[in-house]
Amino acid sequence: MRGSPLLRTFLIIAALIVSGIGFARLTHKGASTTGTQRVEVSTTGEEIPAKVFLTFSEAAGSVHLNSGSEGILLPESPGNGPNMTWREFSSEITIGKKDPVIYLKVLWSQDSGNRRFAKLVVEAEGEETFTHVFDANGDIDDFVELPF
């Protein structure tokens, strides 16, 4: 029975190799094996124009909005005086249909120690209006996936 453990080890290794090859073929999407392959993404018809509105619970010092490859530093909307605690921002962006995600980073003007929020409203052509509230104890650095 000395050959039996060696035979079992060989069969286990062979089974692992065969199942690994099978798993690799199942998960592989058919990329070229003769070198690297470049993938070019066409954006024609792949983006949705949208209007974005942000409302903040306190005055924001810096606001960065990003929808995939397009980053925007939002300008302050008219009508917000320096003594107001609420700030509103708006802009127009394009949202990718393949990756409909919005990233938001808010750095507050002052550290009040309170929980703060930023309300996001997205109005995209041909889509329902989307609303989301980001909240945090400090600065906001978060993202939301849109249902488009």
Side-chain angles (χ1 to χ4, degrees):
M1 292 266 163
R2 282 193 172 266
S4 181
L6 184 60
L7 180 62
R8 275 187 276 167
T9 303
F10 177 72
L11 289 176
I12 289 173
I13 291 173
L16 287 173
I17 290 172
V18 169
S19 60
I21 291 170
F23 184 70
R25 286 190 179 189
L26 284 175
T27 58
H28 189 60
K29 295 196 179 191
S32 173
T33 58
T34 60
T36 60
Q37 184 177 15
R38 290 188 179 196
V39 178
E40 293 184 20
V41 179
S42 173
T43 58
T44 307
E46 297 293 321
E47 295 181 339
I48 303 169
K51 292 180 182 177
V52 176
F53 303 93
L54 288 164
T55 305
F56 303 103
S57 59
E58 292 186 22
S62 173
V63 179
H64 296 276
L65 181 73
N66 195 336
S67 65
S69 62
E70 180 181 10
I72 300 171
L73 176 62
L74 295 175
E76 187 174 342
S77 295
N80 290 329
N83 297 326
M84 295 183 69
T85 57
W86 286 78
R87 301 285 187 185
E88 294 182 358
F89 294 87
S90 64
S91 184
E92 292 186 10
I93 63 171
T94 55
I95 300 166
K97 287 183 180 180
K98 291 185 177 182
D99 190 22
V101 177
I102 290 184
Y103 303 90
L104 178 66
K105 184 172 185 175
V106 180
L107 303 176
W108 302 105
S109 296
Q110 298 176 346
D111 184 15
S112 67
N114 297 331
R115 191 161 188 88
R116 302 177 198 145
F117 70 85
K119 179 182 173 186
L120 169 72
V121 177
V122 180
E123 294 178 352
E125 293 181 15
E127 302 290 340
E128 282 191 39
T129 301
F130 176 80
T131 303
H132 181 77
V133 177
F134 299 93
D135 67 333
N137 286 329
D139 295 332
I140 295 174
D141 190 2
D142 203 355
F143 69 95
V144 64
E145 186 172 348
L146 303 172
F148 304 159

